[in-house]
């Protein structure tokens, strides 16, 4: 499985704090790369290091056209800080993206199958969309799948039931 990055933040001491779509928060120490790859020494400049951004597609991070780091390296060599319950939109983003990739479809191909704009599919896969059930059903059908929505557990065992 390819891990996708939702956000990244530069921290002091050349540490990247990365949030993945599955809710995992990992820290990665970039200092390991400074001695291994000469071009990465440029990241010793805090001004440059602090400009880290998530790449298009969410499969890595970059500082500029020449300096980047893939998500799998951060995932495998980073330190797990926490595994938070992700928002519903991030769970949906990860599920749709993985299902589409398993089906061997591009966003454009899925758009053609469903009649949903590719830009809207992209927004959903980035956790930025807020689709209703009807488009989700069309996406599932376009992937040859069924849509399943469920309510699980409770927010808190201590919360009393609401009375109306």
């Amino acid at each position: 499985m390819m891990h996708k990055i939702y956000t990244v933040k530069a921290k002091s001491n050349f540490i990247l704090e990365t949030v993945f779509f599955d809710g995992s928060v990992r820290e990665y120490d970039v200092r390991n790369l400074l001695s291994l790859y000469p071009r990465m020494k440029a990241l010793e400049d805090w001004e440059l290091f602090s400009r880290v951004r998530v790449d298009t597609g969410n499969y890595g991070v970059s500082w500029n056209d020449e300096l980047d780091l893939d998500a799998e390296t951060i995932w495998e060599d980073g330190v797990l800080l926490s595994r938070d319950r992700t928002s519903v939109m991030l769970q949906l983003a990860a599920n749709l993206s993985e299902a589409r990739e398993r089906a061997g479809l591009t966003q454009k191909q899925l758009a053609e199958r469903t009649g949903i704009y590719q830009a809207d599919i992209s927004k959903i896969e980035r956790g930025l969309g807020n689709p209703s059930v009807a488009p989700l059903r069309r996406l599932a059908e376009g992937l040859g799948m069924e849509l399943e929505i469920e309510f699980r557990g409770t927010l808190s065992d201590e919360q009393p039931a609401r009375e109306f």
Side-chain angles (χ1 to χ4, degrees), residues 84-155:
D84 296 331
R85 293 177 73 185
T86 59
S87 77
V88 171
M89 298 317 300
L90 289 183
Q91 290 175 14
L92 174 61
N95 288 341
L96 177 59
S97 177
E98 289 171 19
R100 181 183 54 76
E101 290 171 3
R102 277 195 312 269
L105 297 173
T106 63
Q107 289 179 353
K108 183 178 179 181
Q109 291 168 325
L110 183 57
E112 290 167 356
R113 284 187 180 192
T114 61
I116 297 172
Y117 292 115
Q118 182 272 328
D120 291 335
I121 294 171
S122 174
K123 284 180 186 175
I124 296 168
E125 288 190 6
R126 290 181 289 135
L128 303 175
N130 189 13
S132 64
V133 173
L136 292 176
R137 187 174 294 135
R138 287 173 36 208
L139 288 166
E141 290 170 1
L143 293 165
M145 304 174 108
E146 290 183 22
L147 177 64
E148 185 176 298
I149 299 174
E150 63 183 61
F151 295 91
R152 292 184 282 166
T154 60
L155 294 176

Side-chain angles (χ1 to χ4, degrees), residues 23-160:
S24 298
V25 180
R26 293 180 180 266
E27 280 189 347
Y28 182 83
D29 189 343
V30 176
R31 288 178 294 190
N32 301 331
L33 301 176
L34 301 179
S35 59
L36 290 174
Y37 303 103
R39 73 170 194 248
M40 295 297 249
K41 283 197 119 353
L43 294 177
E44 291 177 335
D45 174 17
W46 172 252
E47 195 68 30
L48 176 61
F49 183 74
S50 65
R51 289 195 306 249
V52 65
R53 298 289 177 260
V54 178
D55 285 341
T56 304
N58 303 86
Y59 291 108
V61 300
S62 61
W63 291 269
N64 58 34
D65 290 340
E66 299 168 4
L67 298 171
D68 58 17
L69 184 59
D70 66 283
E72 292 308 306
T73 298
I74 297 170
W75 179 268
E76 292 171 8
D77 299 336
V79 175
L80 179 65
L81 295 182
S82 66
R83 187 177 301 273
D84 296 331
R85 293 177 73 185
T86 59
S87 77
V88 171
M89 298 317 300
L90 289 183
Q91 290 175 14
L92 174 61
N95 288 341
L96 177 59
S97 177
E98 289 171 19
R100 181 183 54 76
E101 290 171 3
R102 277 195 312 269
L105 297 173
T106 63
Q107 289 179 353
K108 183 178 179 181
Q109 291 168 325
L110 183 57
E112 290 167 356
R113 284 187 180 192
T114 61
I116 297 172
Y117 292 115
Q118 182 272 328
D120 291 335
I121 294 171
S122 174
K123 284 180 186 175
I124 296 168
E125 288 190 6
R126 290 181 289 135
L128 303 175
N130 189 13
S132 64
V133 173
L136 292 176
R137 187 174 294 135
R138 287 173 36 208
L139 288 166
E141 290 170 1
L143 293 165
M145 304 174 108
E146 290 183 22
L147 177 64
E148 185 176 298
I149 299 174
E150 63 183 61
F151 295 91
R152 292 184 282 166
T154 60
L155 294 176
S156 169
D157 292 337
E158 297 172 12
Q159 276 186 333

